[in-house]
Amino acid sequence: MGPTRVLTKDGGFGTQMTVHVGNAVDGDPLWSARFNATNPAAVINTHLDFLQSFPLILASIGPYGAHLHDGSEYTGAYVDDVPLKEITDWHRIRIDACIAAGVDALAIETIPCQAEAEALVEMLCDDYPEVKFWISYQCKDESTLAHGENFADVARSLWELLGERNARSKCLAIGVNCVHPKFVTPLFKSLNGNTPDAEKIPLVAYPNSGEVYDVAKGWQGREHCVPLASYVSEWSKLGAKIIGGCCRTYARDVRLISESVKEHNNLNRLI
């Protein structure tokens, strides 16, 4: 894989939206989607906060469980009962709409289970062979997907599947998002820690800020968070090619990540 340049990803859309609408996002049953109808100008301005720095546009393709409104997107429990074809058929409608809108690639993200990710990759290989994408898992600790599978085993299995389908060039990265940042390094070490640079699987990381959500009190612990920008060098050495933020990361946090990424890329040019 070698020391190629790292890309910066944006941060938390719902988090940045609070700059424009105040603290009216968290706790809403529709979350930030509420404002598509009630305050579309805030939606546009939130996108612009990030788009001023980033020309590529990826469509967010989140997990099947997110539409069930039962919290199962955080466990992946639905995959034990719902046929995979039903899951991919549900995804297909949104993927078609996003591709028709002209996005540059798909961010298959916050996927809590192995079966859903692999079914999506099979579908993309069969029906969308020209579409680029990344696959990002949700993990509950430093080694395990939300559904219970081992992250390193799942990531290797997916990479092998991509190889069998001649599709590695279409996959921008495999990684994690919406996790505590302290989990990213051990997760990536478990996969790429003992692998030569040329053989490392390209990775993507966009964790949460490190805050913890309390239903009664909201987000807690901002004062103890380590800036995500400080992890850029560490994660890039483990194979991260795309680094950004998820929940509770603002445009200002992403600007700091971008500055660290630029410094990293400039150093790599000298190697």
Side-chain angles (χ1 to χ4, degrees), residues 88-98 128:
T88 53
D89 284 347
W90 180 82
H91 279 294
R92 187 187 300 276
I93 297 170
R94 297 184 305 142
I95 288 173
D96 286 343
C98 291
Y128 306 88

Side-chain angles (χ1 to χ4, degrees), residues 23 26-27 211-222 248:
N23 296 322
D26 292 323
E211 295 168 73
V212 177
Y213 188 72
D214 182 278
V215 175
K217 299 179 181 179
W219 290 98
Q220 302 292 305
R222 182 79 178 180
R248 298 297 290 170

